Amino acid sequence: FMTAVLLSFSHAHEGEETFQEGWEYHTTLQVIALILLVVFILVERRTADPLVQLHLLRDKAFGSAVFANGILHMTMMTIIFIIPFMVENGLEKSTVHTSIMLVIFECLSAPASLISGWLYDKTHSVLIRPCSLFVMAISFIVIGFLAMTGSYWIIVGTLILLGTSAGAFLTPSSTAVMTALPDEHMGF
């Protein structure tokens, strides 16, 4: 399934890198990926010892925590993938500028994760996760609007907010995922 998804986003076909040249290749692989996902779900629901216990996602606390954690990781992968294109092609800056942005993001997310974990352990505040997601969303919107016309330093400032909020979300979200289910469903 994942191989077909990843290949569907690659330029592994002959011809120009345009939609007109590659739509048959990409669309075919995306349909194959969808079919494989359906087959995976059907097999997992019928097997005695499934790899992924899909029925656990019906638990609202667990399902929403897993979904939110997925958003966080997609955000982090998006930053790592898109920032180099935006900085080097859009803003016409060097690879050093790209490195500065990525290092800032990573260096702020790690300590923010530790601090938010400590804060969550002390307060058990339910506001840390939604506030962090809100700041992440606003930061993405700002980066989206400033991607081609904004100042490099404004985007760096926005990445500071994004890295801090992503880190602040990580530990409470992971805790929510790990503690949402009863003990008999934890672990392997």
Side-chain angles (χ1 to χ4, degrees):
F1 158 72
M2 288 305 296
T3 302
V5 170
L6 293 174
L7 283 174
S8 75
F9 292 119
S10 69
H11 180 71
H13 58 85
E14 293 183 17
E16 296 290 319
E17 291 186 29
T18 63
F19 179 76
Q20 291 80 9
E21 289 289 323
W23 76 269
E24 291 176 348
Y25 168 82
H26 298 292
T27 306
T28 302
L29 278 172
Q30 289 163 355
V31 168
I32 290 170
L34 184 62
I35 291 169
L36 290 173
L37 176 63
V38 169
V39 168
F40 174 77
I41 291 171
L42 291 174
V43 169
E44 285 294 297
R45 293 177 82 194
R46 291 192 176 126
T47 187
D49 190 21
L51 180 65
V52 179
Q53 296 182 17
L54 297 170
H55 70 278
L56 296 177
L57 294 173
R58 291 186 189 133
D59 182 288
K60 289 180 184 177
F62 180 71
S64 63
V66 168
F67 181 73
N69 214 10
I71 290 173
L72 169 69
H73 286 88
M74 284 187 279
T75 300
M76 291 168 38
M77 290 294 105
T78 301
I79 291 299
I80 291 168
F81 181 75
I82 289 180
I83 289 297
F85 290 107
M86 184 181 78
V87 173
E88 293 169 24
N89 296 341
L91 298 176
E92 298 178 348
K93 299 287 184 183
S94 70
T95 54
V96 172
H97 289 92
T98 301
S99 301
I100 290 169
M101 283 190 164
L102 294 176
V103 167
I104 286 172
F105 178 81
E106 291 301 323
C107 285
L108 289 172
S109 63
S113 178
L114 294 172
I115 293 167
S116 72
W118 175 81
L119 185 64
Y120 183 77
D121 283 344
K122 297 295 180 194
T123 65
H124 292 287
S125 174
V126 295
L127 295 175
I128 296 173
R129 290 188 311 148
C131 289
S132 298
L133 279 179
F134 178 75
V135 173
M136 286 169 52
I138 296 299
S139 299
F140 256 123
I141 290 169
V142 169
I143 287 174
F145 281 115
L146 297 177
M148 299 302 277
T149 59
S151 158
Y152 173 79
W153 293 107
I154 292 174
I155 295 174
V156 168
T158 307
L159 271 178
I160 288 171
L161 283 176
L162 190 56
T164 304
S165 60
F169 179 78
L170 181 62
T171 303
S173 177
S174 297
T175 302
V177 168
M178 291 186 289
T179 60
L181 294 174
D183 290 341
E184 67 265 10
H185 293 296
M186 292 188 184
F188 293 99

